[in-house]
Amino acid sequence: MNTSDQSLLFNNLISDHSKPEEIVTDFLAILEMTKYDEVRLHQQSQESAIEIRKGPAYGEQ
């Protein structure tokens, strides 16, 4: 995660993945983490990247 604002773009997270199942696995893991408030997701529009931030479970600032 970027230490200045504690966020990461989903596109950057999956940029090294070559197999579709790796991308799906990461996406499902992130959704599960969202369910438990470990991360928060934000997307400006349908075409924009998904931003991932620490959630309340990690003492969101």
Side-chain angles (χ1 to χ4, degrees), residues 8-53:
L8 172 69
L9 295 179
F10 183 71
N11 294 352
N12 295 344
L13 180 68
I14 63 167
S15 63
D16 294 335
H17 294 342
S18 58
K19 298 179 182 177
E21 50 270 6
E22 292 174 335
I23 296 169
V24 171
T25 300
D26 282 354
F27 186 73
L28 292 175
I30 291 167
L31 290 179
E32 190 72 12
M33 292 172 72
T34 303
K35 177 179 168 183
Y36 293 105
D37 286 332
E38 295 174 356
V39 297
R40 293 285 169 113
L41 304 178
H42 180 73
Q43 186 177 23
Q44 292 284 358
S45 67
Q46 285 184 322
E47 294 81 28
S48 64
I50 299 170
E51 182 181 353
I52 305 164
R53 293 180 173 267

